[in-house]
Amino acid sequence: MDDINAWVWWLIAAAGLGIPLVVTAMPEFGMLAVGAVAGSVTAGLGGGVVLQVVVFAAVSVALLAVVRPIAARHRVQQPQLATGIEALKGRQAVVLERVDGSGDGRIKLAGEIWSARSLDSGQAYEVGQEVDVVDIDGATAIVM
């Protein structure tokens, strides 16, 4: 009967550690909750109190030592996938109609025809030239 109570107490502790995980979004509480679940399993299998605490501590420390640095590294890294307008910046395009500072030019960018103007209003690009897209202003590509 004591073993059943022990595994139930470990599960209550795991649920108790899950609440601050949800409230604070700190993954460390989740790792401690997993350690409590491991302690519960140990109690359910008939392990003594000392073994339950050792399993809880070992699993919790192992998760904190291994998973926490990996999670922190992923949190810091910026996504490398650019979408929408950001994906077009820096790409090359081909001039279809003369591009100058007026915005009347046309380029073929990523398979689509875009209106374009040059970044430097004094610079012009002729048909067939390759240009670099530096920005998108509305539906107009800014090229150089």
Side-chain angles (χ1 to χ4, degrees):
M1 197 67 167
D2 288 337
D3 291 336
I4 293 173
N5 288 337
W7 71 263
V8 170
W9 282 113
W10 280 109
L11 286 181
I12 291 171
L17 289 167
I19 292 170
L21 168 69
V22 172
V23 172
T24 65
M26 292 180 61
E28 292 83 0
F29 286 111
M31 297 172 201
L32 293 173
V34 170
V37 170
S40 174
V41 169
T42 303
L45 294 174
V49 173
V50 174
L51 181 61
Q52 295 169 27
V53 172
V54 168
V55 168
F56 165 73
V59 169
S60 297
V61 169
L63 288 173
L64 287 171
V66 175
V67 176
R68 187 172 179 238
I70 295 170
R73 188 175 34 228
H74 283 279
R75 192 179 314 155
V76 172
Q77 289 179 340
Q78 297 294 325
Q80 296 180 357
L81 178 64
T83 60
I85 292 172
E86 295 300 321
L88 299 175
K89 294 179 183 175
R91 293 189 68 170
Q92 286 195 329
V94 176
V95 176
L96 300 177
E97 295 178 15
R98 186 175 194 269
V99 174
D100 56 20
S102 68
D104 293 334
R106 298 274 185 251
I107 62 171
K108 188 165 189 173
L109 172 62
E112 297 179 355
I113 298 174
W114 284 72
S115 62
R117 66 178 161 88
S118 63
L119 178 65
D120 179 8
S121 60
Q123 181 73 41
Y125 302 96
E126 300 301 327
V127 174
Q129 273 189 289
E130 288 192 357
V131 292
D132 295 320
V133 176
V134 294
D135 200 5
I136 303 290
D137 182 20
T140 302
I142 312 298
V143 300
M144 60 180 274

